[in-house]
Amino acid sequence: MKLYTSLPKGLKPYYELELEKYRKEYASGNLKVAWNHLERAHILGQNYPYAHTFVHWKMLQFGFAIKNGKEVLGQLPRLVFGGVKSFVGKVPIGNPGGANVPPLKPFPIEKELQEIFIKAGVSAINP
């Protein structure tokens, strides 16, 4: 069994850029755009336990900040189990990570994110 750990060097800048864009948009009050950047960071980092868990932590904080009980409750199991699933390489590829989608359902990866995986030299499916 292949165990996945840290974000590859080639992917890390893109993941961090999405988190920075999230912070900027959130600080500006652009919550919908901010959330979209968290979803993109989730897709980029979901194969790697720390990155995956960190995004769910930020999503949980976001849920509290906007007083969205569904998001808060939905993030709790994702926060607990998401990193474990990443560690053993069993994540639903392309899933944006929010409580508004089934936690185990794979989704198509948007073209721009596919290109990021290619530039980073990392497979979105089997890193």
Side-chain angles (χ1 to χ4, degrees):
M1 172 183 0
K2 171 89 171 140
L3 300 178
Y4 301 93
T5 54
S6 58
L7 211 54
K9 284 183 185 181
L11 193 56
K12 191 173 184 176
Y14 297 104
Y15 169 82
E16 289 176 347
L17 180 61
E18 291 301 331
L19 291 175
E20 180 59 30
K21 288 178 179 179
Y22 159 74
R23 285 188 283 275
K24 285 181 180 177
E25 295 296 341
Y26 182 84
S28 297
N30 299 324
L31 300 181
K32 187 173 182 176
V33 176
W35 181 257
N36 181 255
H37 288 295
L38 276 182
E39 290 178 324
R40 289 169 56 91
H42 180 268
I43 293 166
L44 293 174
Q46 75 181 132
N47 284 314
Y48 310 96
Y50 173 74
H52 191 181
T53 302
F54 183 76
V55 172
H56 282 300
W57 172 246
K58 299 307 289 180
M59 288 179 165
L60 177 64
Q61 290 176 322
F62 187 92
F64 274 117
I66 65 167
K67 296 174 177 53
N68 183 322
K70 180 182 177 190
E71 194 61 48
V72 169
L73 290 175
Q75 286 306 319
L76 292 173
R78 288 166 172 85
L79 186 60
V80 172
F81 298 110
V84 173
K85 303 268 299 169
S86 298
F87 190 71
V88 297
K90 300 288 182 189
V91 295
I93 301 302
N95 186 294
N100 61 328
V101 298
L104 302 176
K105 181 181 179 183
F107 283 78
I109 298 174
E110 66 180 83
K111 185 172 175 37
E112 185 181 352
L113 291 179
Q114 287 177 14
E115 290 170 4
I116 287 172
F117 282 111
I118 292 167
K119 285 180 199 172
V122 175
S123 170
I125 298 170
N126 295 311

